[in-house]
Amino acid sequence: MSNIGLIIEERAADIGNFMVGRLLPFRQKRSVGPFVFIDHMGPAFLKDYQNLDVPPHPHIGLSTLTYLFEGAIMHRDSLGNALEIQPGAVNWMTAGKGVTHSERTPDYLRSTDKKLHGLQIWVALPKELEQIEPIFQHIEADDIPAWEENGVHFKLIAGEALGKKSPVAVYSDLYFLEIKTGNQAQINIGEHLFGESALYILEGSIEDAGTNFGPKQILIAKDAKLCSFKMAANSTIYIFGGNPFPEEHYIFWNFVSSDKERLQQAKELWKAKGFPKVIGDDGYVPLPDFYQ
């Protein structure tokens, strides 16, 4: 019997000058544990002067997780951080009561051909921590727990699972796990998972109860404890989830909060240009007409 309760197909979304595949939120599933938003960037081949340019924009009430498979992004924020993220590393920015940041192709790549491929993720903060001071953490690829079992490669990007703990400073019970195969393999990890759980297929395929599933799909589990499936050779998947919050969290543009009034306050503050400025980047993303 299948443990899959819902299948979410990747949908195209425009984030300015760059198209992404939107995975969460979905009309039938707004979140998985504390995970409220996932974009799949690329894979994109940016030729010559085509670049990623996401000017300064605000966030509240969430942590952003950036994880790249290919390419590089220059991150700048209102805390004074300015650094480049490359494949395998993690940028973890906790917005709390309010932060502004930009994401652009690094200067040395802007006039050359380049690739960009990765995941952009939002994790909601617990209600009691939504107004904390913003914090930024960068974790190098070599500091992310990675190991091999029976020819299957595991990496715990964030949270706790399979007896491991990531150095990413999360604020709730969650996990974000990468699994890669060289050869076909049976995966049985349900006893290590908890809360709500989902599986994203980046490449290759999995088989569950005799049905095959391919790339660009999120499979929502009925019960995390029953997580068992077969992975095809040369496949890469991501399993994510955790304990859901007791109260609903709302998304309004780039803002997440359990308090709708706080979302309105953040909107008005951004329109009045009252958020802190990004150091070293004077761009500005106006509030879209849809959210006015």
Side-chain angles (χ1 to χ4, degrees), residues 65 87-88 255 285:
L65 190 157
F255 309 131
V285 176

Side-chain angles (χ1 to χ4, degrees), residues 108-221:
Y108 71 93
L109 293 175
R110 295 187 71 83
S111 60
T112 66
D113 295 349
K114 79 283 293 181
K115 293 182 179 179
L116 186 62
H117 191 197
L119 295 173
Q120 290 273 25
I121 297 169
W122 296 358
V123 180
L125 289 169
K127 181 178 181 179
E128 66 274 13
L129 298 177
E130 289 179 350
Q131 290 289 87
I132 63 173
E133 293 292 330
I135 304 168
F136 178 81
Q137 183 187 22
H138 176 85
I139 302 93
E140 295 291 353
D142 291 343
D143 294 326
I144 301 296
W147 67 99
E148 181 182 333
E149 293 181 12
N150 301 319
V152 179
H153 298 271
F154 296 85
K155 186 180 294 185
L156 184 62
I157 298 168
E160 294 188 52
L162 306 179
K164 309 287 185 179
K165 183 177 182 178
S166 167
V168 175
V170 301
Y171 295 90
S172 60
D173 297 328
L174 61 86
Y175 44 86
F176 180 42
L177 179 71
E178 176 186 88
I179 305 178
K180 290 188 175 186
T181 58
N183 300 314
Q184 185 183 85
Q186 181 70 34
I187 308 296
N188 300 292
I189 58 173
E191 69 273 16
H192 298 282
L193 304 182
F194 54 89
E196 297 181 333
S197 189
L199 184 156
Y200 173 60
I201 305 167
L202 178 69
E203 56 189 2
S205 65
I206 73 157
E207 180 186 321
D208 176 75
T211 301
N212 285 301
F213 300 92
K216 298 188 176 183
Q217 292 181 317
I218 282 183
L219 312 178
I220 309 295

Side-chain angles (χ1 to χ4, degrees), residues 40 45 65 88 91 100 120 132 141 167 169 184 200 211 270 283 289 292:
H40 177 206
F45 181 72
L65 190 157
N91 273 5
T100 311
Q120 290 273 25
I132 63 173
Q184 185 183 85
Y200 173 60
T211 301
W270 181 249
D289 290 341
Q292 296 290 339

